[in-house]
Amino acid sequence: MASPHSPNTLQARDLLHPVVAGLISVIVNYGGTFVLVFQAAKIAGLSPALTASWVWSVSIGVGVTGILLSWAAREPIITAWSTPAAAFLVTALATTPYPEAVGAYLLSAAAFVLLGLSGCFDKAIRLIPPGVAAGLLAGILLPFGIGAFGGMTLDPLLTGWLILAYVTLKRFTARYAVVGILVSGLALLLLQDRIDLSGLTLAFAAPVYTAPAFSLNSLLSVALPLFLITLTGQYMPGMLVLRNDGFRTSANPIVTVTGLGSLLMAPFGSHAFNVAAITAAICTGKEAHDDPAKRWVAGIAAGIFYILVGVFGVTLAAVFMALPASFITTLAGLALLGTIGGSLASALAEPKTREAALITFLAAAANIKLFGIGGAFWGLVIGLAAHALLNGRLPQRPRPSRYAGLPRPAAGKEMVK
């Protein structure tokens, strides 16, 4: 996997912003959606040891795969657990014996390994027009941007403070805006005595092996939906996040490595992990680093933070989940403002595809849910249909440039034949 950006020597000052971006992505992931894992574990009647093993397996797996992929590609490839799949399991585990659920996790993971090795998914991703992809990303992220200001109703002091800090820092020292709102927000919460760490005790998590069981029922009711939900709700938008910010790593190794990781961790409770979408956007844009060639550090940092949480099991995850919801949503929304603006600008830049991109944006923002499949998939389907109808043809795979694999000619000059 080769990065499209030339490698640069990393210096100490290059680490702060991508490390903070990685930390914020981890905070948003645990603070925003990890409660679904605990809900699913409760529905399944899992013991505290099995629940801690689920936290351990998914956190360690996400951390290790993210580090490996980011290091190999020199790109910020952020991995995460499948949030829509966790939401699906809240209901599915109510009627599925846990060993059969583990067997379904294994089957779904094996299917992703085969998909990555086949190369089909990468070919499909490259057919999506850039305007439609940018519109889809902007639509997916729009609720988070709105959420940054929605907290003013319930928590005006904290939300207002974060917004004021962000705008002020953007005016005087834009580079430190995201770092500043994280630090100042945590400081305000400490002053308000809204972070209680008195009962925190660090306890190591221990993985618990569960022998998988297989049945036709779990294949059709858990494994198949798990595969489709993760593919359409996580992998598809996750790859478009990378493409939108100029990273061109093939989807094949990403799907293969995360599939293998899920396969290894499934017997210990991990339901599925994959390339991230929303939290990845925090690490792939300019807020992580002005130089795209140095943003891969955010992937390494996020992976390390995930591993730390996994080592201590439920303990650290509970700390992030205890942060006020208004802090999580405002922090995420403000950190994503640059990506939302850039995506909208890219979506509407080309007049010929502007309307299709706008339709994609609105359809994705509407978060349509049909047949158990989430809004990202339907936004993409509607956008591609609009693009085909408005332009008279379906998207076609771009022809390789005659300069493929060669240095491009400088502006205003021709290559010597």
Side-chain angles (χ1 to χ4, degrees):
M1 293 184 288
S3 170
H5 309 291
S6 59
N8 291 326
T9 302
L10 283 173
Q11 299 179 1
R13 65 174 180 269
D14 295 319
L15 299 178
L16 175 63
H17 300 286
V19 168
V20 170
L23 175 60
I24 291 175
S25 72
V26 171
I27 290 175
V28 171
N29 241 356
Y30 281 108
T33 64
F34 204 69
V35 66
L36 293 170
V37 170
F38 288 109
Q39 288 177 349
K42 184 177 180 180
I43 291 292
L46 300 187
S47 66
L50 284 175
T51 302
S53 180
W54 190 345
V55 176
W56 176 89
S57 61
V58 76
S59 300
I60 297 293
V62 163
V64 171
T65 53
I67 290 173
L68 290 176
L69 289 167
S70 297
W71 178 268
R74 289 300 194 273
E75 293 184 359
I77 300 175
I78 311 299
T79 51
W81 52 86
S82 176
T83 297
F88 160 71
L89 290 173
V90 170
T91 56
L93 290 183
T95 56
T96 305
Y98 186 60
E100 291 189 13
V102 171
Y105 300 165
L106 286 168
L107 293 174
S108 175
F112 277 115
V113 174
L114 294 176
L115 179 65
L117 294 175
S118 73
C120 296
F121 184 58
D122 193 60
K123 294 176 182 177
I125 287 290
R126 295 183 186 280
L127 287 175
I128 300 173
V132 170
L136 178 70
L137 178 58
I140 293 170
L141 298 182
L142 180 62
F144 290 84
I146 295 173
F149 302 90
M152 289 292 292
T153 303
L154 299 175
D155 200 343
L157 177 59
L158 177 60
T159 304
W161 170 258
L162 290 172
I163 294 171
L164 177 62
Y166 179 81
V167 175
T168 303
L169 289 167
K170 273 288 184 179
R171 169 66 178 84
F172 294 103
T173 176
R175 188 177 183 186
Y176 294 94
V178 174
V179 177
I181 59 173
L182 173 62
V183 174
S184 63
L186 290 173
L188 179 60
L189 289 174
L190 287 170
L191 288 173
Q192 293 179 322
D193 199 24
R194 295 174 67 179
I195 302 179
D196 184 13
L197 302 179
S198 58
L200 179 64
T201 56
L202 295 179
F204 291 106
V208 178
Y209 177 81
T210 298
F214 301 94
S215 69
L216 181 61
N217 177 64
S218 64
L219 169 65
L220 298 177
S221 63
V222 180
L224 183 59
L226 186 65
F227 175 80
L228 294 175
I229 289 169
T230 303
L231 178 66
T232 59
Q234 292 281 176
Y235 278 108
M236 185 74 74
M239 289 308 305
L240 293 180
V241 166
L242 287 168
R243 298 285 186 266
N244 186 70
D245 282 311
F247 299 103
R248 293 290 178 264
T249 294
S250 169
N252 300 336
I254 295 176
V255 176
T256 304
V257 170
T258 51
L260 282 171
S262 297
L263 197 64
L264 291 173
M265 288 299 187
F268 304 101
S270 174
H271 61 290
F273 44 88
N274 40 255
V275 63
I278 294 162
T279 51
I282 297 173
C283 300
T284 58
K286 290 183 178 180
E287 299 292 353
H289 202 288
D290 291 334
D291 184 355
K294 296 176 181 177
R295 294 175 197 164
W296 64 275
V297 176
I300 303 294
I304 292 172
F305 289 127
Y306 278 124
I307 291 172
L308 286 175
V309 174
V311 167
F312 294 104
V314 178
T315 308
L316 290 183
V319 172
F320 291 133
M321 291 175 62
L323 293 172
S326 55
F327 175 73
I328 298 294
T329 55
T330 306
L331 180 67
L334 293 176
L336 289 168
L337 281 185
T339 301
I340 296 171
S343 299
L344 278 174
S346 299
L348 304 178
E350 177 57 51
K352 289 184 179 180
T353 61
R354 183 174 296 161
E355 196 158 4
L358 181 60
I359 290 171
T360 307
F361 164 69
L362 295 173
N367 197 23
I368 302 165
K369 293 182 179 177
L370 293 172
F371 311 113
I373 300 176
F377 175 76
W378 296 115
L380 179 60
V381 168
I382 292 171
L384 291 175
H387 182 277
L389 291 171
L390 291 170
N391 293 277
R393 60 181 176 83
L394 290 168
Q396 297 178 347
R397 190 172 187 179
R399 295 179 181 178
S401 168
R402 64 175 177 148
Y403 299 124
L406 298 173
R408 289 187 174 274
K413 297 181 181 180
E414 293 185 355
M415 292 183 67
V416 178
K417 295 184 179 179

